[in-house]
């Protein structure tokens, strides 16, 4: 089927936050990200644009437009689109009535970098968790870069956004996650020894620029750094928290 | 002092691998990366180009050229150069006679992504280690992106490059690191229970595309992934190994 001009200009608009909001759609590029989308949320897919070669790699649900490689490169946000680009509805947030199933919640506060955001999604999924919470002021979870970095893990996770940390905490409490731990490079309990770190808690990781917003009544947790080198990348901090949880779970099984 | 045309064209050439090799120089952008360079290896700095504002933020060793922001943006590889760019000699590798001091060695094999490479440098430094080994076929450690992602941690670490894993292992053995562990998503001992993982060993992390090169006689180590989601990003895998080491060290102190 021919790709219409309208579809082309729609795709282009989805590389801006404004365009995504207006259309309620996002663009998912690359074989692995598109593969994750097709497998986990085929009902969201509106149409797919792919080269002949890439179209043969995946089972593509719904409308498919085969285009030459040059055309795809012209449309895609990256030179490494791997020959495929899917347009999909932005998944709705889980219904407020639906309580999270995870033992603890990972939350990010004002995280601005889409690569970090995507890496956190991907790592969360590898650790076997299902939810990622975030405050507004963080990057758009459905931007093209965030989806590429996450290899489409967004479509396998439940993402919930909140106006600020206060609102996030209130929601967590309502679901039975009463304790909040803020990551802090300067003090607090060590993530390797805090006994209750993962017990019905929310672990909050701050953004690259400003760290975590202060929040009265929250506990502080730190990642010990023998190198006396203050800042770990936010995605690295998230990875340490997630796999310390995996380690503890393994050792008690 | 005026920036000469020759200096300008030198800077431009340093954004290519060929140009860096030819000149034996690299370009280090951003306040934190340049700050690390100035503090850890001031003797390597050839000259610095900075805006008035950025020049006031750091103690800059040697020749400084103050330029308007527009000029710097024109020269720099990123729009977020933060107003500063230093040209520095590529650090020589440690002398072969100088044995590593770390308890174990982290090595990367054919890692192609400069962002991952940089993040690994930064995380290694946070974990208190001092060496990073790599095989040729990995990204150029002194490319502008690798330096930016590492926040200049390259200048605080000892990097040693080898033709392949065989050569890397031979060197490790000669320094008294006899055991090699290859990370493998499909099997081997768990990184959380392998008792000898950090005992005079080399832990090898593979590249994004092909994983680790097979190596006869090496042991395999895996990161358990409850999410049944095969691939962690290489930098996340490195982070898990590095901070599992930190955790074990903390718990025995």
């Amino acid at each position: 089927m021919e790709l219409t001009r309208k579809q082309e200009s729609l795709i282009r608009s989805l590389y801006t936050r404004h365009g995504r909001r207006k259309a309620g759609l996002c663009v998912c590029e690359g074989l692995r990200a598109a593969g994750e989308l097709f497998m986990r949320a085929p009902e969201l897919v509106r149409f797919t644009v792919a080269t002949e070669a890439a179209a043969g790699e995946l089972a593509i649900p719904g409308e498919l437009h085969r285009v030459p490689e040059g055309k795809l490169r012209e449309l895609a946000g990256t030179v490494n689109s791997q020959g495929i680009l899917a347009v999909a509805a932005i998944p709705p947030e889980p219904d407020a009535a639906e309580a999270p199933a995870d033992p603890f919640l990972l939350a990010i506060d004002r995280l601005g970098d889409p690569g970090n955001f995507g890496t956190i999604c991907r790592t969360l999924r590898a650790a076997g968790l299902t939810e990622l919470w975030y405050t507004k002021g963080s990057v758009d979870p459905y931007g093209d870069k965030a989806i590429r970095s996450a290899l489409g893990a967004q479509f396998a996770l439940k993402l919930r956004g909140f106006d600020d940390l206060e609102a996030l905490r209130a929601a967590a409490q309502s679901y039975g996650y009463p304790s909040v731990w803020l990551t802090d490079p300067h003090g607090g309990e060590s993530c390797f020894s805090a006994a209750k770190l993962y017990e019905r808690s929310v672990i909050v990781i701050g953004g690259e620029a400003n760290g975590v917003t202060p929040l009265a009544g929250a506990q502080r947790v730190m990642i010990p750094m023998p190198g006396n080198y203050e800042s770990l990348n936010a995605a690295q901090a998230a990875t340490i928290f997630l796999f310390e949880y995996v380690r503890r779970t393994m050792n008690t099984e």
Side-chain angles (χ1 to χ4, degrees), chain A:
Chain A
M1 208 190 299
E2 271 292 303
L3 192 67
T4 65
R5 280 187 181 230
K6 210 171 150 188
Q7 285 175 316
E8 283 193 35
S9 76
L10 171 66
I11 292 172
R12 285 201 188 89
S13 76
L14 300 180
Y15 288 94
T16 67
R17 194 165 186 153
H18 173 75
R20 289 189 292 274
R21 279 212 190 136
K22 201 174 143 199
L25 300 171
C26 62
V27 59
C28 177
E29 294 171 358
L31 282 170
R32 291 185 65 184
E36 182 92 336
L37 167 67
F38 297 161
M39 196 173 62
R40 306 295 299 231
E43 73 284 1
L44 298 177
V45 182
R46 292 294 172 266
F47 63 91
T48 300
V49 184
T51 61
E52 196 66 47
E57 296 276 327
L58 294 169
I60 298 172
E63 191 177 322
L64 168 65
H65 303 276
R66 291 170 204 265
V67 297
E69 212 173 300
K71 183 75 193 171
L72 202 103
R73 218 176 293 133
E74 187 198 314
L75 290 168
T78 168
V79 286
N80 298 313
S81 67
Q82 300 171 303
I84 192 162
L85 173 165
V87 170
I90 291 173
E93 285 205 3
D95 194 275
E98 188 188 338
D102 290 342
F104 73 98
L105 301 169
L106 190 79
I108 54 177
D109 183 34
R110 301 183 299 178
L111 184 94
D113 182 79
N116 275 341
F117 184 87
T119 302
I120 292 173
C121 287
R122 197 175 150 185
T123 309
L124 195 98
R125 177 141 158 53
L129 297 180
T130 63
E131 302 236 351
L132 180 62
W133 289 26
Y134 63 97
T135 59
K136 307 272 161 84
S138 295
V139 66
D140 181 351
Y142 298 100
D144 55 299
K145 270 192 203 165
I147 291 177
R148 275 203 308 275
S149 299
L151 300 177
Q154 284 90 343
F155 301 107
L157 296 173
K158 289 169 184 160
L159 306 184
R160 308 194 201 218
F162 300 89
D163 283 340
D164 54 31
L165 270 192
E166 286 286 2
L168 190 150
R169 169 161 67 181
Q173 283 179 334
S174 77
Y175 293 125
Y177 296 82
S179 67
V180 176
W181 295 82
L182 306 181
T183 56
D184 187 332
H186 302 293
E189 275 196 74
S190 157
C191 64
F192 299 131
S193 57
K196 299 192 168 178
L197 183 56
Y198 300 101
E199 286 181 17
R200 305 296 297 177
S201 62
V202 187
I203 299 175
V204 187
I205 291 176
E208 304 79 8
N210 306 304
V212 178
T213 314
L215 183 71
Q219 290 165 282
R220 291 186 308 154
V221 58
M222 67 171 292
I223 297 169
M225 283 187 229
N228 276 327
Y229 183 60
E230 223 173 67
S231 90
L232 275 174
N233 179 294
Q236 308 322 109
T239 301
I240 293 166
F241 285 112
L242 289 166
F243 278 82
E244 169 63 3
Y245 168 72
V246 171
R247 187 193 66 81
R248 293 192 194 188
T249 318
M250 298 262 131
N251 288 2
T252 56
E253 260 168 7

